[in-house]
């Protein structure tokens, strides 16, 4: 009984200590502003005298220190007094909101526009943001002089617009944040708006196209504005898309890619990697020919169980950065064999690199470790890097005019580009399989042919592959 009491006393101390340290860490996050949070915002914009006068109201702020990141070219950042508490958390140097109970704070600032509004102008990163915070809902009001005729677009759903006696007024509202705003002269108008899309065009859109939008499949419900523009702007907010022609296929592909880039973080990744992930998330074929070939290769190789496991892995991709390395780790786990398929394809500028697997064991030649010799499994064959292994066996090896040449003191080989034979000491021998295989500009020698032609013995254990030449045991 005493033992039980002592045990539970110790357990209580451990739990109390753990809670204390977790609370201490939590309190530290509140003081330093490291805690992540969501907030809502309302933004009022007035365009006048070649500048945007902005009032930004942050709501549902957490009770912690919150650092403010101002737009790069913003001037005169200050408090906007909406009520008696609207600035009581704003620091004197207007760089952060102090820890406090007040949920809403308001600021104002000016963003100059050199030369004033121009047709088809994209104004990027124009709003203040909060460190470690993400806007879950945004409302944007934009007012301009009534003589300035054009269309504002934010990526949020358009709620309404009105031409008044002195000003033109536009309002947007929707889930998520907004970073960029776009302005275009003339009669650009929203032709169609759904919960996910706003389609802006100067002319009417065909009924067939609008009907086709009903059957499109997207990754999430984040609203995106699509602007028909002959000369698309390449660098823009992921909630704005510029398309020269409006087709269901183009809209579906561009919207999905935009959504996936906003939902996931890609790190050191080629342009086709988000397309690969998107193809699995929508169970379709999205992107370039290289993307389609990679997806096709994986689907053809995998068993039904592996396909299910891979699909589950794609569906579980979350906040961690996605890169060729992380994709290879997932693929290795699913297939049960080590591969660098995505990294090799990232390094392959033209075409696709085939799916092959790596033998993780070290290769030794006569008890000497050879770090530059690799063993791989490709299409059911065990292969070794010929360029690096054969010189350790006493040969020179390399590509020549009529194939791959391997020369020793008394033994010479030529492996032609066309299959079906090889040449040994000037004599031709027919073959069914290929001794030398070229994979993406690298030459490999097949394991059985290595032993047969170069008179070596192979000894394998859990950690190493031993290549023994004649007379070495």
């Amino acid at each position: 009984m005493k033992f039980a009491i002592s045990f539970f006393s110790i357990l209580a101390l451990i739990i109390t200590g753990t809670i204390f340290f977790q609370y201490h860490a939590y309190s530290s996050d509140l003081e330093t502003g490291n805690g992540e949070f969501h907030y809502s915002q309302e933004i009022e914009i007035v365009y006048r005298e070649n500048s945007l006068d902005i009032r930004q109201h942050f709501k549902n702020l957490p009770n912690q220190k919150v650092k403010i990141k101002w737009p790069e070219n913003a001037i005169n950042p200050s408090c906007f007094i909406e009520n008696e508490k609207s600035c009581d958390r704003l620091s004197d140097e207007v760089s952060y909101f102090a820890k406090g109970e007040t949920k809403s704070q308001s600021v104002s600032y000016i963003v100059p526009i050199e030369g004033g509004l121009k047709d088809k102008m994209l104004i990027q990163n124009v709003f203040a943001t909060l460190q470690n915070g993400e806007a879950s809902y945004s409302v944007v009001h934009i007012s301009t002089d009534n003589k300035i005729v054009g269309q504002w677009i934010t990526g949020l759903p358009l709620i309404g617009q009105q031409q008044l006696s002195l000003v033109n007024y536009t309002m947007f509202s929707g889930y998520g944040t907004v970073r960029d705003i776009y302005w275009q002269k003339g009669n650009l108008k929203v032709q169609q708006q759904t919960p996910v899309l706003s389609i802006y065009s100067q002319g009417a859109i065909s009924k067939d196209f609008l009907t086709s939008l009903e059957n499109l499949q997207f990754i999430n419900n984040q609203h995106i504005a699509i602007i028909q523009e002959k000369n698309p702007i390449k660098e823009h907010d992921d909630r704005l898309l510029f398309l020269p022609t409006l087709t269901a296929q183009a809209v579906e592909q561009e919207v999905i890619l935009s959504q996936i880039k906003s939902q996931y973080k890609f790190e050191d990744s080629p342009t086709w990697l988000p397309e690969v992930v998107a193809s699995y998330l929508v169970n379709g074929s999205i992107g370039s020919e290289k993307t389609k070939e990679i997806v096709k290769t994986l689907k053809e190789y995998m068993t039904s169980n592996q396909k299910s496991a891979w699909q589950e892995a794609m569906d579980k991709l979350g906040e961690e950065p996605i890169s060729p390395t992380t994709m290879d780790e997932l693929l290795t786990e699913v297939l049960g064999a080590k591969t660098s398929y995505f990294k090799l394809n990232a390094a392959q500028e033209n075409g696709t690199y085939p799916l092959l697997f790596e033998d993780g064991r070290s290769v030794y030649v006569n008890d000497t470790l050879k770090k530059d010799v690799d063993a791989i499994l490709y299409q059911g064959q065990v292969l070794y890097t010929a360029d690096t292994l054969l010189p350790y066996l006493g040969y020179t090896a390399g590509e020549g005019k009529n194939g791959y040449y391997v020369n020793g003191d008394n033994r010479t080989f030529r492996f032609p580009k066309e299959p079906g034979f090889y040449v040994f000491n000037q004599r031709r021998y027919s073959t069914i399989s290929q001794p030398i295989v070229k994979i993406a500009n690298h030459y490999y020698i097949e394991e059985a042919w290595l032993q047969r032609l170069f008179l070596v013995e192979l000894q394998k254990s859990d950690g190493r592959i031993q290549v023994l030449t004649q007379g070495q045991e």
Side-chain angles (χ1 to χ4, degrees), residues 49-65:
E49 297 178 358
N50 298 345
S51 67
L52 299 176
D53 290 5
I54 300 175
R55 298 171 181 174
Q56 192 163 356
H57 310 279
F58 299 102
K59 303 176 181 180
N60 198 34
L61 293 174
N63 185 8
Q64 69 180 54
K65 180 179 179 181

mmCIF file with all atom_site columns, all heavy atoms in Angstrom, residues 49-65:
data_model
loop_
_atom_site.group_PDB
_atom_site.id
_atom_site.type_symbol
_atom_site.label_atom_id
_atom_site.label_alt_id
_atom_site.label_comp_id
_atom_site.label_asym_id
_atom_site.label_entity_id
_atom_site.label_seq_id
_atom_site.pdbx_PDB_ins_code
_atom_site.Cartn_x
_atom_site.Cartn_y
_atom_site.Cartn_z
_atom_site.occupancy
_atom_site.B_iso_or_equiv
_atom_site.pdbx_formal_charge
_atom_site.auth_seq_id
_atom_site.auth_comp_id
_atom_site.auth_asym_id
_atom_site.auth_atom_id
_atom_site.pdbx_PDB_model_num
ATOM 1   N N   . GLU A 1 49 ? -5.022  60.948 -54.967 1.00 0.00 ? 49 GLU A N   1
ATOM 2   C CA  . GLU A 1 49 ? -3.737  61.626 -55.154 1.00 0.00 ? 49 GLU A CA  1
ATOM 3   C C   . GLU A 1 49 ? -2.575  60.642 -55.253 1.00 0.00 ? 49 GLU A C   1
ATOM 4   O O   . GLU A 1 49 ? -1.568  60.761 -54.545 1.00 0.00 ? 49 GLU A O   1
ATOM 5   C CB  . GLU A 1 49 ? -3.502  62.632 -54.031 1.00 0.00 ? 49 GLU A CB  1
ATOM 6   C CG  . GLU A 1 49 ? -4.534  63.741 -53.997 1.00 0.00 ? 49 GLU A CG  1
ATOM 7   C CD  . GLU A 1 49 ? -4.302  64.699 -52.853 1.00 0.00 ? 49 GLU A CD  1
ATOM 8   O OE1 . GLU A 1 49 ? -3.359  64.458 -52.067 1.00 0.00 ? 49 GLU A OE1 1
ATOM 9   O OE2 . GLU A 1 49 ? -5.050  65.676 -52.741 1.00 0.00 ? 49 GLU A OE2 1
ATOM 10  N N   . ASN A 1 50 ? -2.720  59.652 -56.146 1.00 0.00 ? 50 ASN A N   1
ATOM 11  C CA  . ASN A 1 50 ? -1.652  58.686 -56.430 1.00 0.00 ? 50 ASN A CA  1
ATOM 12  C C   . ASN A 1 50 ? -1.230  57.875 -55.204 1.00 0.00 ? 50 ASN A C   1
ATOM 13  O O   . ASN A 1 50 ? -0.046  57.555 -55.028 1.00 0.00 ? 50 ASN A O   1
ATOM 14  C CB  . ASN A 1 50 ? -0.417  59.377 -57.044 1.00 0.00 ? 50 ASN A CB  1
ATOM 15  C CG  . ASN A 1 50 ? -0.738  60.027 -58.370 1.00 0.00 ? 50 ASN A CG  1
ATOM 16  O OD1 . ASN A 1 50 ? -1.772  59.747 -58.969 1.00 0.00 ? 50 ASN A OD1 1
ATOM 17  N ND2 . ASN A 1 50 ? 0.150   60.882 -58.842 1.00 0.00 ? 50 ASN A ND2 1
ATOM 18  N N   . SER A 1 51 ? -2.188  57.535 -54.365 1.00 0.00 ? 51 SER A N   1
ATOM 19  C CA  . SER A 1 51 ? -1.858  56.702 -53.207 1.00 0.00 ? 51 SER A CA  1
ATOM 20  C C   . SER A 1 51 ? -3.116  56.000 -52.715 1.00 0.00 ? 51 SER A C   1
ATOM 21  O O   . SER A 1 51 ? -4.242  56.419 -53.009 1.00 0.00 ? 51 SER A O   1
ATOM 22  C CB  . SER A 1 51 ? -1.255  57.546 -52.076 1.00 0.00 ? 51 SER A CB  1
ATOM 23  O OG  . SER A 1 51 ? -2.224  58.427 -51.550 1.00 0.00 ? 51 SER A OG  1
ATOM 24  N N   . LEU A 1 52 ? -2.881  54.933 -51.980 1.00 0.00 ? 52 LEU A N   1
ATOM 25  C CA  . LEU A 1 52 ? -3.965  54.213 -51.326 1.00 0.00 ? 52 LEU A CA  1
ATOM 26  C C   . LEU A 1 52 ? -3.950  54.562 -49.850 1.00 0.00 ? 52 LEU A C   1
ATOM 27  O O   . LEU A 1 52 ? -2.965  54.309 -49.145 1.00 0.00 ? 52 LEU A O   1
ATOM 28  C CB  . LEU A 1 52 ? -3.792  52.700 -51.504 1.00 0.00 ? 52 LEU A CB  1
ATOM 29  C CG  . LEU A 1 52 ? -3.794  52.158 -52.933 1.00 0.00 ? 52 LEU A CG  1
ATOM 30  C CD1 . LEU A 1 52 ? -3.519  50.659 -52.918 1.00 0.00 ? 52 LEU A CD1 1
ATOM 31  C CD2 . LEU A 1 52 ? -5.109  52.454 -53.642 1.00 0.00 ? 52 LEU A CD2 1
ATOM 32  N N   . ASP A 1 53 ? -5.009  55.200 -49.367 1.00 0.00 ? 53 ASP A N   1
ATOM 33  C CA  . ASP A 1 53 ? -5.166  55.464 -47.935 1.00 0.00 ? 53 ASP A CA  1
ATOM 34  C C   . ASP A 1 53 ? -5.903  54.268 -47.330 1.00 0.00 ? 53 ASP A C   1
ATOM 35  O O   . ASP A 1 53 ? -7.058  53.990 -47.705 1.00 0.00 ? 53 ASP A O   1
ATOM 36  C CB  . ASP A 1 53 ? -5.954  56.747 -47.705 1.00 0.00 ? 53 ASP A CB  1
ATOM 37  C CG  . ASP A 1 53 ? -5.158  57.978 -48.098 1.00 0.00 ? 53 ASP A CG  1
ATOM 38  O OD1 . ASP A 1 53 ? -4.047  57.814 -48.639 1.00 0.00 ? 53 ASP A OD1 1
ATOM 39  O OD2 . ASP A 1 53 ? -5.651  59.098 -47.897 1.00 0.00 ? 53 ASP A OD2 1
ATOM 40  N N   . ILE A 1 54 ? -5.254  53.570 -46.418 1.00 0.00 ? 54 ILE A N   1
ATOM 41  C CA  . ILE A 1 54 ? -5.786  52.298 -45.934 1.00 0.00 ? 54 ILE A CA  1
ATOM 42  C C   . ILE A 1 54 ? -6.045  52.352 -44.434 1.00 0.00 ? 54 ILE A C   1
ATOM 43  O O   . ILE A 1 54 ? -5.197  52.801 -43.654 1.00 0.00 ? 54 ILE A O   1
ATOM 44  C CB  . ILE A 1 54 ? -4.810  51.148 -46.253 1.00 0.00 ? 54 ILE A CB  1
ATOM 45  C CG1 . ILE A 1 54 ? -4.593  51.042 -47.767 1.00 0.00 ? 54 ILE A CG1 1
ATOM 46  C CG2 . ILE A 1 54 ? -5.328  49.822 -45.697 1.00 0.00 ? 54 ILE A CG2 1
ATOM 47  C CD1 . ILE A 1 54 ? -3.566  50.013 -48.176 1.00 0.00 ? 54 ILE A CD1 1
ATOM 48  N N   . ARG A 1 55 ? -7.231  51.914 -44.049 1.00 0.00 ? 55 ARG A N   1
ATOM 49  C CA  . ARG A 1 55 ? -7.554  51.681 -42.649 1.00 0.00 ? 55 ARG A CA  1
ATOM 50  C C   . ARG A 1 55 ? -7.791  50.180 -42.497 1.00 0.00 ? 55 ARG A C   1
ATOM 51  O O   . ARG A 1 55 ? -8.628  49.610 -43.205 1.00 0.00 ? 55 ARG A O   1
ATOM 52  C CB  . ARG A 1 55 ? -8.805  52.451 -42.238 1.00 0.00 ? 55 ARG A CB  1
ATOM 53  C CG  . ARG A 1 55 ? -8.672  53.970 -42.360 1.00 0.00 ? 55 ARG A CG  1
ATOM 54  C CD  . ARG A 1 55 ? -10.021 54.632 -42.140 1.00 0.00 ? 55 ARG A CD  1
ATOM 55  N NE  . ARG A 1 55 ? -9.952  56.085 -42.271 1.00 0.00 ? 55 ARG A NE  1
ATOM 56  C CZ  . ARG A 1 55 ? -11.005 56.895 -42.231 1.00 0.00 ? 55 ARG A CZ  1
ATOM 57  N NH1 . ARG A 1 55 ? -12.216 56.369 -42.063 1.00 0.00 ? 55 ARG A NH1 1
ATOM 58  N NH2 . ARG A 1 55 ? -10.863 58.194 -42.356 1.00 0.00 ? 55 ARG A NH2 1
ATOM 59  N N   . GLN A 1 56 ? -7.075  49.573 -41.585 1.00 0.00 ? 56 GLN A N   1
ATOM 60  C CA  . GLN A 1 56 ? -7.159  48.117 -41.429 1.00 0.00 ? 56 GLN A CA  1
ATOM 61  C C   . GLN A 1 56 ? -7.564  47.782 -39.998 1.00 0.00 ? 56 GLN A C   1
ATOM 62  O O   . GLN A 1 56 ? -6.907  48.189 -39.035 1.00 0.00 ? 56 GLN A O   1
ATOM 63  C CB  . GLN A 1 56 ? -5.815  47.477 -41.787 1.00 0.00 ? 56 GLN A CB  1
ATOM 64  C CG  . GLN A 1 56 ? -5.867  45.966 -41.931 1.00 0.00 ? 56 GLN A CG  1
ATOM 65  C CD  . GLN A 1 56 ? -4.661  45.428 -42.683 1.00 0.00 ? 56 GLN A CD  1
ATOM 66  O OE1 . GLN A 1 56 ? -3.819  46.177 -43.163 1.00 0.00 ? 56 GLN A OE1 1
ATOM 67  N NE2 . GLN A 1 56 ? -4.567  44.111 -42.782 1.00 0.00 ? 56 GLN A NE2 1
ATOM 68  N N   . HIS A 1 57 ? -8.639  47.048 -39.865 1.00 0.00 ? 57 HIS A N   1
ATOM 69  C CA  . HIS A 1 57 ? -9.189  46.699 -38.561 1.00 0.00 ? 57 HIS A CA  1
ATOM 70  C C   . HIS A 1 57 ? -8.961  45.201 -38.318 1.00 0.00 ? 57 HIS A C   1
ATOM 71  O O   . HIS A 1 57 ? -9.522  44.358 -39.027 1.00 0.00 ? 57 HIS A O   1
ATOM 72  C CB  . HIS A 1 57 ? -10.679 47.014 -38.507 1.00 0.00 ? 57 HIS A CB  1
ATOM 73  C CG  . HIS A 1 57 ? -11.018 48.399 -38.978 1.00 0.00 ? 57 HIS A CG  1
ATOM 74  N ND1 . HIS A 1 57 ? -10.898 49.528 -38.187 1.00 0.00 ? 57 HIS A ND1 1
ATOM 75  C CD2 . HIS A 1 57 ? -11.458 48.842 -40.189 1.00 0.00 ? 57 HIS A CD2 1
ATOM 76  C CE1 . HIS A 1 57 ? -11.256 50.598 -38.865 1.00 0.00 ? 57 HIS A CE1 1
ATOM 77  N NE2 . HIS A 1 57 ? -11.599 50.205 -40.097 1.00 0.00 ? 57 HIS A NE2 1
ATOM 78  N N   . PHE A 1 58 ? -8.152  44.878 -37.333 1.00 0.00 ? 58 PHE A N   1
ATOM 79  C CA  . PHE A 1 58 ? -7.873  43.492 -36.959 1.00 0.00 ? 58 PHE A CA  1
ATOM 80  C C   . PHE A 1 58 ? -8.828  43.081 -35.838 1.00 0.00 ? 58 PHE A C   1
ATOM 81  O O   . PHE A 1 58 ? -8.946  43.793 -34.834 1.00 0.00 ? 58 PHE A O   1
ATOM 82  C CB  . PHE A 1 58 ? -6.430  43.337 -36.478 1.00 0.00 ? 58 PHE A CB  1
ATOM 83  C CG  . PHE A 1 58 ? -5.409  43.687 -37.529 1.00 0.00 ? 58 PHE A CG  1
ATOM 84  C CD1 . PHE A 1 58 ? -4.755  44.907 -37.508 1.00 0.00 ? 58 PHE A CD1 1
ATOM 85  C CD2 . PHE A 1 58 ? -5.100  42.787 -38.541 1.00 0.00 ? 58 PHE A CD2 1
ATOM 86  C CE1 . PHE A 1 58 ? -3.810  45.233 -38.469 1.00 0.00 ? 58 PHE A CE1 1
ATOM 87  C CE2 . PHE A 1 58 ? -4.165  43.101 -39.506 1.00 0.00 ? 58 PHE A CE2 1
ATOM 88  C CZ  . PHE A 1 58 ? -3.519  44.327 -39.473 1.00 0.00 ? 58 PHE A CZ  1
ATOM 89  N N   . LYS A 1 59 ? -9.465  41.947 -35.999 1.00 0.00 ? 59 LYS A N   1
ATOM 90  C CA  . LYS A 1 59 ? -10.456 41.501 -35.022 1.00 0.00 ? 59 LYS A CA  1
ATOM 91  C C   . LYS A 1 59 ? -10.137 40.094 -34.536 1.00 0.00 ? 59 LYS A C   1
ATOM 92  O O   . LYS A 1 59 ? -9.468  39.331 -35.209 1.00 0.00 ? 59 LYS A O   1
ATOM 93  C CB  . LYS A 1 59 ? -11.851 41.535 -35.655 1.00 0.00 ? 59 LYS A CB  1
ATOM 94  C CG  . LYS A 1 59 ? -12.225 42.923 -36.190 1.00 0.00 ? 59 LYS A CG  1
ATOM 95  C CD  . LYS A 1 59 ? -13.561 42.920 -36.894 1.00 0.00 ? 59 LYS A CD  1
ATOM 96  C CE  . LYS A 1 59 ? -13.890 44.319 -37.441 1.00 0.00 ? 59 LYS A CE  1
ATOM 97  N NZ  . LYS A 1 59 ? -15.198 44.358 -38.130 1.00 0.00 ? 59 LYS A NZ  1
ATOM 98  N N   . ASN A 1 60 ? -10.630 39.782 -33.349 1.00 0.00 ? 60 ASN A N   1
ATOM 99  C CA  . ASN A 1 60 ? -10.411 38.473 -32.719 1.00 0.00 ? 60 ASN A CA  1
ATOM 100 C C   . ASN A 1 60 ? -8.923  38.197 -32.489 1.00 0.00 ? 60 ASN A C   1
ATOM 101 O O   . ASN A 1 60 ? -8.441  37.079 -32.688 1.00 0.00 ? 60 ASN A O   1
ATOM 102 C CB  . ASN A 1 60 ? -11.021 37.349 -33.582 1.00 0.00 ? 60 ASN A CB  1
ATOM 103 C CG  . ASN A 1 60 ? -11.205 36.061 -32.802 1.00 0.00 ? 60 ASN A CG  1
ATOM 104 O OD1 . ASN A 1 60 ? -11.487 36.084 -31.607 1.00 0.00 ? 60 ASN A OD1 1
ATOM 105 N ND2 . ASN A 1 60 ? -11.016 34.935 -33.473 1.00 0.00 ? 60 ASN A ND2 1
ATOM 106 N N   . LEU A 1 61 ? -8.210  39.226 -32.047 1.00 0.00 ? 61 LEU A N   1
ATOM 107 C CA  . LEU A 1 61 ? -6.781  39.070 -31.764 1.00 0.00 ? 61 LEU A CA  1
ATOM 108 C C   . LEU A 1 61 ? -6.580  38.238 -30.495 1.00 0.00 ? 61 LEU A C   1
ATOM 109 O O   . LEU A 1 61 ? -7.376  38.292 -29.569 1.00 0.00 ? 61 LEU A O   1
ATOM 110 C CB  . LEU A 1 61 ? -6.123  40.441 -31.578 1.00 0.00 ? 61 LEU A CB  1
ATOM 111 C CG  . LEU A 1 61 ? -6.047  41.333 -32.822 1.00 0.00 ? 61 LEU A CG  1
ATOM 112 C CD1 . LEU A 1 61 ? -5.505  42.713 -32.444 1.00 0.00 ? 61 LEU A CD1 1
ATOM 113 C CD2 . LEU A 1 61 ? -5.181  40.695 -33.896 1.00 0.00 ? 61 LEU A CD2 1
ATOM 114 N N   . PRO A 1 62 ? -5.500  37.474 -30.423 1.00 0.00 ? 62 PRO A N   1
ATOM 115 C CA  . PRO A 1 62 ? -5.233  36.669 -29.231 1.00 0.00 ? 62 PRO A CA  1
ATOM 116 C C   . PRO A 1 62 ? -4.658  37.527 -28.112 1.00 0.00 ? 62 PRO A C   1
ATOM 117 O O   . PRO A 1 62 ? -4.136  38.623 -28.355 1.00 0.00 ? 62 PRO A O   1
ATOM 118 C CB  . PRO A 1 62 ? -4.191  35.663 -29.730 1.00 0.00 ? 62 PRO A CB  1
ATOM 119 C CG  . PRO A 1 62 ? -3.440  36.420 -30.783 1.00 0.00 ? 62 PRO A CG  1
ATOM 120 C CD  . PRO A 1 62 ? -4.465  37.286 -31.465 1.00 0.00 ? 62 PRO A CD  1
ATOM 121 N N   . ASN A 1 63 ? -4.719  37.028 -26.916 1.00 0.00 ? 63 ASN A N   1
ATOM 122 C CA  . ASN A 1 63 ? -4.158  37.723 -25.762 1.00 0.00 ? 63 ASN A CA  1
ATOM 123 C C   . ASN A 1 63 ? -2.662  37.404 -25.665 1.00 0.00 ? 63 ASN A C   1
ATOM 124 O O   . ASN A 1 63 ? -2.191  36.716 -24.770 1.00 0.00 ? 63 ASN A O   1
ATOM 125 C CB  . ASN A 1 63 ? -4.887  37.287 -24.485 1.00 0.00 ? 63 ASN A CB  1
ATOM 126 C CG  . ASN A 1 63 ? -4.432  38.073 -23.272 1.00 0.00 ? 63 ASN A CG  1
ATOM 127 O OD1 . ASN A 1 63 ? -3.690  39.046 -23.393 1.00 0.00 ? 63 ASN A OD1 1
ATOM 128 N ND2 . ASN A 1 63 ? -4.859  37.643 -22.098 1.00 0.00 ? 63 ASN A ND2 1
ATOM 129 N N   . GLN A 1 64 ? -1.916  37.911 -26.636 1.00 0.00 ? 64 GLN A N   1
ATOM 130 C CA  . GLN A 1 64 ? -0.467  37.720 -26.691 1.00 0.00 ? 64 GLN A CA  1
ATOM 131 C C   . GLN A 1 64 ? 0.147   38.857 -27.489 1.00 0.00 ? 64 GLN A C   1
ATOM 132 O O   . GLN A 1 64 ? -0.559  39.606 -28.170 1.00 0.00 ? 64 GLN A O   1
ATOM 133 C CB  . GLN A 1 64 ? -0.110  36.391 -27.350 1.00 0.00 ? 64 GLN A CB  1
ATOM 134 C CG  . GLN A 1 64 ? -0.414  36.337 -28.853 1.00 0.00 ? 64 GLN A CG  1
ATOM 135 C CD  . GLN A 1 64 ? -0.041  35.010 -29.481 1.00 0.00 ? 64 GLN A CD  1
ATOM 136 O OE1 . GLN A 1 64 ? -0.461  33.960 -29.027 1.00 0.00 ? 64 GLN A OE1 1
ATOM 137 N NE2 . GLN A 1 64 ? 0.766   35.070 -30.539 1.00 0.00 ? 64 GLN A NE2 1
ATOM 138 N N   . LYS A 1 65 ? 1.444   38.998 -27.396 1.00 0.00 ? 65 LYS A N   1
ATOM 139 C CA  . LYS A 1 65 ? 2.136   39.998 -28.192 1.00 0.00 ? 65 LYS A CA  1
ATOM 140 C C   . LYS A 1 65 ? 2.053   39.607 -29.656 1.00 0.00 ? 65 LYS A C   1
ATOM 141 O O   . LYS A 1 65 ? 2.294   38.457 -30.025 1.00 0.00 ? 65 LYS A O   1
ATOM 142 C CB  . LYS A 1 65 ? 3.599   40.099 -27.753 1.00 0.00 ? 65 LYS A CB  1
ATOM 143 C CG  . LYS A 1 65 ? 4.402   41.133 -28.547 1.00 0.00 ? 65 LYS A CG  1
ATOM 144 C CD  . LYS A 1 65 ? 5.849   41.189 -28.045 1.00 0.00 ? 65 LYS A CD  1
ATOM 145 C CE  . LYS A 1 65 ? 6.662   42.199 -28.842 1.00 0.00 ? 65 LYS A CE  1
ATOM 146 N NZ  . LYS A 1 65 ? 8.069   42.255 -28.378 1.00 0.00 ? 65 LYS A NZ  1
#
